[in-house]
């Protein structure tokens, strides 16, 4: 039983070293592609274009937007951003939609826009009606 435990521990350590080695190879391959003009993304989410690479101090100068520069550690650059090819979209002509009025007359189905079935009431009648409705709710 203890032999099985040591074998499993050995496999675990082997897999861990293998994964670290693969990660280091990927990082070395990525850093070999660094050069001025390459669009990149940092580990903290900044996108920019490489302006200069300082090999001695492991620094990369990024242009985040025209005139805005940022200096980051070389290992902070984690991804090279490839330009996305955009396919042209063909737009089929749509039938003309009916014009939408800018008032609520379209909601009633009648011209004039009044929803009341009775003739227009005066302002005094409206106040009386609203006051009476308020008393009914209480």
């Amino acid at each position: 039983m203890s032999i099985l435990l040591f074998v499993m521990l050995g496999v675990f350590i082997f897999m861990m070293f293998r994964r670290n080695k693969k990660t280091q190879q990927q990082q070395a391959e990525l850093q070999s592609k660094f050069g001025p003009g390459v669009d990149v993304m940092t580990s903290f989410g900044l996108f920019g274009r490489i302006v200069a690479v300082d090999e001695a101090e492991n620094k990369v100068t990024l242009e985040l937007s025209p005139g805005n520069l940022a200096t980051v550690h070389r290992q902070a650059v984690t991804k090279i951003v490839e330009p996305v090819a955009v396919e042209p979209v063909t737009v089929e002509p749509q039938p003309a939609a009916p014009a939408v009025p800018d008032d609520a007359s379209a909601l009633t189905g009648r011209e004039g826009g009044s929803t009341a079935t009775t003739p227009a009431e005066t302002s005094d009648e409206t106040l009386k009606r609203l006051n009476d409705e308020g008393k009914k709710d209480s």
Side-chain angles (χ1 to χ4, degrees), residues 56 72 99:
V72 296

Side-chain angles (χ1 to χ4, degrees), residues 9-11 22 26 53 66 77 81 87 92-93 109 112 118 123 131 135:
L9 181 63
V11 168
K22 185 184 272 189
Q26 287 176 344
V53 178
V77 179
V81 179
E87 295 181 17
E92 296 181 16
T118 60
S123 59
N131 285 333
K135 290 178 185 174

Side-chain angles (χ1 to χ4, degrees), residues 32 38 40-41 73-74 78 90 95 97-99 109 121 127 136:
S32 69
V38 176
V40 294
M41 182 182 85
H73 193 276
R74 188 175 181 145
T78 57
T90 56
E121 56 187 24
L127 285 173
K136 290 177 187 176

